Amino acid sequence: MTTRRKKIFEGKGKILYEGPEPGTLIQYFKDDATAFNSQKKAVLEGKGVINNRISEYVMTRLNSIGVQNHFIKRLNLREQLIKELEIIPLEVVCRNVAAGSLSQRFGLPEGQALPRSIIEFYLKDDKLGDPMVTEEHITAFNWASTQEIDDMMALTLRVNDFLTGTFGAVGITLVDFKVEFGRLWENDFARVILADEISPDSCRLWDTQTNEKLDKDRFRRDLGDVIESYTEVARRLGIMKEMPTVIQGGLH
């Protein structure tokens, strides 16, 4: 990095910098891994590089099937150019199979298929532990309008269909995933589009044959081989060809 770029925002896994032209930002993928609202932390060598590639792959394909998102292009190993959005302060979680907090909340065995895909909303607030919220809360506190909630749900289901098929074709079960959305302003009109990233940091991915976890749960639950698993996801998606060999001895 030769020039000092203006940092706009730093999250747990990414940093956003001012973009080269108005209405753009640069999204930088870090190697930091966090779990349980940052109570558990580590640096996993090469994680940012893999997530950048997987997210590029997914976002590009979503764009091509009409699911608009903030991705413009990948710039280098760790950075991508994205559209600047007004982020809606919600995490939208789509669940296909019982796991994680859903299993705990309702006493469902992990791995039990759900009767249908379930969409949940959580407020983006680490200090509060990202509490689950209902449409009632969202509209009362004006985090999003009823129309925007409908748009987010419709887009999330389309992402779910696409990801389920994409991962299913390479022997990976999409258990659940988290997405975020933002408003893309054009004059006085705002359109809701997909933001953030889609990677093994934000999805639960299990090997269809063995149910082996290929996602961030490996880090959360001390299963080891986090980078190897992320790399395996990229390999199965066929995007390892241009991957650099940073993925060596990532975990000690």
Side-chain angles (χ1 to χ4, degrees), residues 126-165:
D126 283 349
K127 286 196 280 299
L128 300 175
D130 300 332
M132 192 172 170
V133 293
T134 65
E135 286 196 35
E136 190 69 5
H137 300 117
I138 294 168
T139 51
F141 295 117
N142 204 25
W143 295 321
S145 67
T146 311
Q147 180 60 57
E148 287 174 331
I149 292 171
D150 288 349
D151 290 348
M152 287 190 285
M153 289 181 79
L155 285 166
T156 300
L157 287 172
R158 291 193 63 194
V159 171
N160 189 40
D161 285 347
F162 170 77
L163 289 179
T164 301

Side-chain angles (χ1 to χ4, degrees), residues 11-248:
K12 289 179 289 213
K14 294 182 298 298
I15 305 173
L16 294 177
Y17 294 102
E18 209 168 49
E21 54 262 342
T24 65
L25 294 171
I26 289 170
Q27 179 165 261
Y28 173 93
F29 286 77
K30 303 196 290 187
D31 282 342
D32 300 33
T34 63
F36 314 117
N37 281 318
S38 298
Q39 288 166 14
K40 178 175 184 176
K41 292 183 182 158
V43 173
L44 304 175
E45 187 97 19
K47 177 175 83 81
V49 176
I50 304 170
N51 284 353
N52 186 17
R53 284 297 285 114
I54 292 176
S55 201
E56 172 198 21
Y57 175 87
V58 173
M59 293 294 194
T60 303
R61 275 157 183 73
L62 285 171
N63 257 330
S64 70
I65 59 164
V67 177
Q68 269 204 304
N69 58 67
H70 71 167
F71 179 81
I72 301 171
K73 64 176 180 182
R74 183 167 61 88
L75 299 172
N76 53 44
L77 287 178
R78 291 181 178 276
E79 294 177 333
Q80 44 186 241
L81 186 66
I82 58 170
K83 295 172 187 144
E84 185 171 14
L85 307 177
E86 180 191 329
I87 294 292
I88 295 169
L90 298 168
E91 296 185 345
V92 185
V93 173
C94 182
R95 301 178 181 275
N96 301 311
V97 176
S101 65
L102 189 80
S103 291
Q104 290 158 9
R105 242 179 299 146
F106 300 118
L108 300 171
E110 275 217 331
Q112 181 177 311
L114 299 173
R116 60 179 172 84
S117 300
I118 293 174
I119 294 180
E120 301 170 336
F121 292 94
Y122 294 82
L123 180 64
K124 267 171 68 75
D125 190 321
D126 283 349
K127 286 196 280 299
L128 300 175
D130 300 332
M132 192 172 170
V133 293
T134 65
E135 286 196 35
E136 190 69 5
H137 300 117
I138 294 168
T139 51
F141 295 117
N142 204 25
W143 295 321
S145 67
T146 311
Q147 180 60 57
E148 287 174 331
I149 292 171
D150 288 349
D151 290 348
M152 287 190 285
M153 289 181 79
L155 285 166
T156 300
L157 287 172
R158 291 193 63 194
V159 171
N160 189 40
D161 285 347
F162 170 77
L163 289 179
T164 301
T166 300
F167 286 123
V170 294
I172 296 173
T173 301
L174 178 67
V175 173
D176 57 38
F177 65 94
K178 169 195 80 83
V179 280
E180 294 180 19
F181 294 91
R183 300 179 184 97
L184 182 63
W185 286 92
E186 284 157 359
N187 303 320
D188 293 338
F189 176 73
R191 196 168 47 232
V192 172
I193 71 170
L194 183 63
D196 199 43
E197 69 177 307
I198 294 179
S199 75
D201 267 11
S202 60
C203 303
R204 274 197 177 90
L205 304 168
W206 293 359
D207 180 277
T208 306
Q209 238 72 64
T210 63
N211 279 346
E212 186 190 353
K213 295 173 173 59
L214 302 171
D215 55 66
K216 194 170 154 183
D217 271 348
R218 299 201 69 84
F219 174 68
R220 287 189 194 97
R221 301 180 186 191
D222 293 319
L223 298 171
D225 290 342
V226 184
I227 292 298
E228 288 77 357
S229 298
Y230 280 36
T231 308
E232 174 64 12
V233 173
R235 190 190 65 75
R236 290 200 200 178
L237 291 173
I239 53 178
M240 284 303 290
K241 293 180 267 308
E242 325 85 291
M243 287 285 288
T245 51
V246 288
I247 325 301
Q248 288 154 358

